Amino acid sequence: MKITVIGAGAIGGNLAAKLSTAGHDVQVADARGPAVVRAEVLESGARAVDLAEAVQGRDVIILSIPFGVAGQLADVFASVPDETVVIDTANYYPGMLSEPIEVVDNGQVESLYTAELLGRPVTKAWNAALAETQRTKGVPAGTPGRLAIPVSGDSEQARKVAMSLVDDTGFDPYDAGPLADSWRQQPNSPAYCTELTVDELPAALAAADRAKDAAIRDSLPERIAALGANPTVDDVVEMNRAAHR
């Protein structure tokens, strides 16, 4: 597939590298320009391009940008064909990674808000696994204990495309249903960054509680501080699991 990743941070850079390794034609763009794309992101064949040219003629565009800024790309996306699948990886951390957004705090589902800002539908994937989990724990399909990643979206075809790409990055894809239910995979639900298998993920999604999960999310600074300096990915996963016991 012809894929563009917008955003060259930890998750976007990792996806660009993994999907190009899997044989896809990958471009990566960043609002700061091609020069900021790290060399290791491009080692498997991905190409750094200008943002203005990144969205034309692509099958899939992955948004790996901070939550709440998708509206800045609305003009860039205005000419993108309807059949292009757009995948959102963002998470909402009010007061930490973004300013509080009233409509989301009042119940708007995060990715539905992103779709409104962008002016087109999006599918949700790769948001519910830590960047380091995605970088280091992907394994071939069929490997015992392979971790799973939920995929939400209103288009069955778009979900299938996103699930196929999740598989290519080393994780079992799980069809989590329509975008309106994607809050179940947002911070800090039981399915969020807890490293579950495809057999464990359905119960975790079903156990999500919006008020409780938001309270856990908002307590992140205190919980991270309690881990001490330089926590490992396993420390963070255990912290997330413990919040729901």
Side-chain angles (χ1 to χ4, degrees):
M1 289 185 182
K2 295 179 179 178
I3 300 169
T4 286
V5 180
I6 298 179
I11 288 181
N14 181 58
L15 291 176
K18 287 210 166 195
L19 292 171
S20 56
T21 298
H24 297 287
D25 176 352
V26 178
Q27 296 181 162
V28 56
D30 192 281
R32 298 165 293 175
V36 306
V37 180
R38 292 170 285 122
E40 58 265 34
V41 172
L42 308 177
E43 288 177 348
S44 299
R47 306 180 304 283
V49 299
D50 287 320
L51 182 59
E53 66 183 80
V55 300
Q56 300 302 320
R58 313 307 289 172
D59 301 309
V60 175
I61 300 172
I62 299 171
L63 291 178
S64 190
I65 59 178
F67 182 78
V69 305
Q72 299 175 18
L73 298 174
D75 289 344
V76 175
F77 272 79
S79 61
V80 173
D82 291 343
E83 58 267 26
T84 300
V85 175
V86 180
I87 303 174
D88 171 36
T89 72
N91 290 308
Y92 178 48
Y93 281 96
M96 289 175 269
L97 300 182
S98 69
E99 293 297 318
I101 300 170
E102 184 176 3
V103 67
V104 178
D105 290 336
N106 288 336
Q108 172 71 300
V109 174
E110 287 91 330
S111 281
L112 288 175
Y113 178 72
T114 296
E116 287 186 4
L117 293 178
L118 200 62
R120 60 175 299 136
V122 301
T123 298
K124 188 83 171 180
W126 289 298
N127 76 296
L130 295 166
E132 192 64 5
T133 297
Q134 295 186 42
R135 189 181 73 83
T136 63
K137 297 190 178 183
V139 294
T143 301
R146 194 188 199 209
L147 300 178
I149 286 178
V151 177
S152 301
D154 295 333
S155 163
E156 182 178 355
Q157 177 60 26
R159 286 203 311 275
K160 286 181 178 178
V161 169
M163 290 173 70
S164 172
L165 296 178
V166 166
D167 192 20
D168 287 345
T169 59
F171 298 88
D172 281 337
Y174 178 77
D175 188 340
L179 202 63
D181 287 342
S182 63
W183 62 270
R184 295 181 180 277
Q185 66 192 71
Q186 288 289 161
N188 260 93
S189 75
Y192 180 78
C193 296
T194 48
E195 293 193 352
L196 304 176
T197 67
V198 74
D199 292 330
E200 297 167 327
L201 196 51
L205 290 167
D209 179 307
R210 297 189 78 164
K212 176 183 176 183
D213 298 345
I216 294 172
R217 175 200 65 196
D218 295 343
S219 70
L220 178 64
E222 293 80 11
R223 291 185 295 120
I224 283 286
L227 295 180
N230 304 315
T232 67
V233 63
D234 291 337
D235 292 335
V236 177
V237 168
E238 174 56 25
M239 175 192 73
N240 289 334
R241 291 176 175 176
H244 295 281
R245 293 189 184 119

